[in-house]
Amino acid sequence: MKSFSNQLKEYLAALPQKQPCCREAYERGLRGEVFAERCARDPGCFLRGAFVGHGTISDPDAAYRLSFQARPEFLEIVAAALADSGIRARRTVRRGKDVLYFKDSGAIEDFLALVGASKYSLQLMEKKVMKELRENANRLRNAETANIDRTVRAAAEQCEAIRLLRETGKFALLPPSRLDFQSRMK
């Protein structure tokens, strides 16, 4: 079975490039060539090529991470293209290689929509919502379980206190208002 990243790359690689400027921008991104101009018709085509040639994305069921690994000068151009689109990426060196990445699911959704993978952007949103629903359900269940445990523990302590009072003969010494409780317990 293909990884989420490979499925996305195949989908993006199969998208038609509308005009010669789009094809050129896509090809330059794919080859990792420095390309200062932007395609006016489709601003995402350069980033689409850059991702297909140099990018990876983690499976959203596991984590949110999209990254590019390439030469520093190419990553500068990719970072600038992302910033022009309102997406901020971080830079790091991993295993001696320059990496441009972002972990924010919203930024990844925006990137996917920008490069023409709206279907994958919607899948990511759906998975994020499902994950949040599961987390909230678990949190509520854990809180309810803790409340029940506290109630049971308190009731057990009260029953033990009543048992000790009866065994020591002190239960009959309780004030009458407390003895009404005894008659209701029988």
Side-chain angles (χ1 to χ4, degrees):
M1 185 169 164
K2 293 180 187 171
S3 71
F4 183 81
S5 188
N6 286 338
Q7 289 175 20
L8 175 60
K9 285 182 177 186
E10 283 182 12
Y11 175 82
L12 291 173
L15 289 177
Q17 306 308 321
K18 300 170 187 144
Q19 298 293 320
C21 61
C22 300
R23 280 192 292 280
E24 182 181 358
Y26 174 82
E27 290 293 327
R28 286 184 181 244
L30 188 64
R31 291 190 304 262
E33 295 176 0
V34 174
F35 186 59
E37 295 129 34
R38 304 283 188 267
C39 176
R41 293 186 181 270
D42 183 359
C45 56
F46 172 74
L47 290 171
R48 184 180 315 123
F51 179 78
V52 171
H54 308 279
T56 187
I57 187 171
S58 63
D59 186 335
D61 287 332
Y64 304 119
R65 183 179 182 90
L66 190 144
S67 62
F68 297 88
Q69 185 174 328
R71 295 179 333 276
E73 58 274 7
F74 180 67
L75 291 181
E76 289 289 331
I77 301 299
V78 172
L82 287 168
D84 288 348
S85 300
I87 301 170
R88 301 280 178 236
R90 295 181 183 172
R91 296 276 303 263
T92 191
V93 176
R94 193 176 308 129
R95 295 183 192 127
K97 306 233 182 198
D98 288 291
V99 177
L100 182 71
Y101 71 96
F102 40 99
K103 294 181 176 183
D104 177 60
S105 62
I108 295 171
E109 292 163 7
D110 292 344
F111 173 83
L112 294 174
L114 175 68
V115 298
S118 299
K119 166 182 138 179
Y120 286 88
S121 180
L122 291 172
Q123 282 180 3
L124 180 66
M125 287 180 213
E126 180 183 358
K127 288 180 182 217
K128 184 170 70 171
V129 167
M130 293 303 292
K131 189 185 287 188
E132 287 174 3
L133 286 173
R134 269 193 308 276
E135 289 170 357
N136 287 339
N138 284 339
R139 198 172 4 267
L140 288 171
R141 186 183 68 235
N142 291 343
E144 187 64 27
T145 301
N147 286 339
I148 291 170
D149 287 348
R150 281 191 292 274
T151 302
V152 168
R153 202 173 316 118
E157 289 173 7
Q158 289 173 355
C159 289
E160 179 63 17
I162 292 169
R163 187 187 64 75
L164 285 172
L165 287 171
R166 283 189 173 156
E167 284 178 4
T168 59
K170 295 180 182 177
F171 191 78
L173 300 175
L174 291 175
S177 63
R178 305 283 176 136
L179 291 176
D180 289 341
F181 176 77
Q182 178 186 14
S183 63
R184 284 183 276 163
M185 290 295 289
K186 289 182 181 178

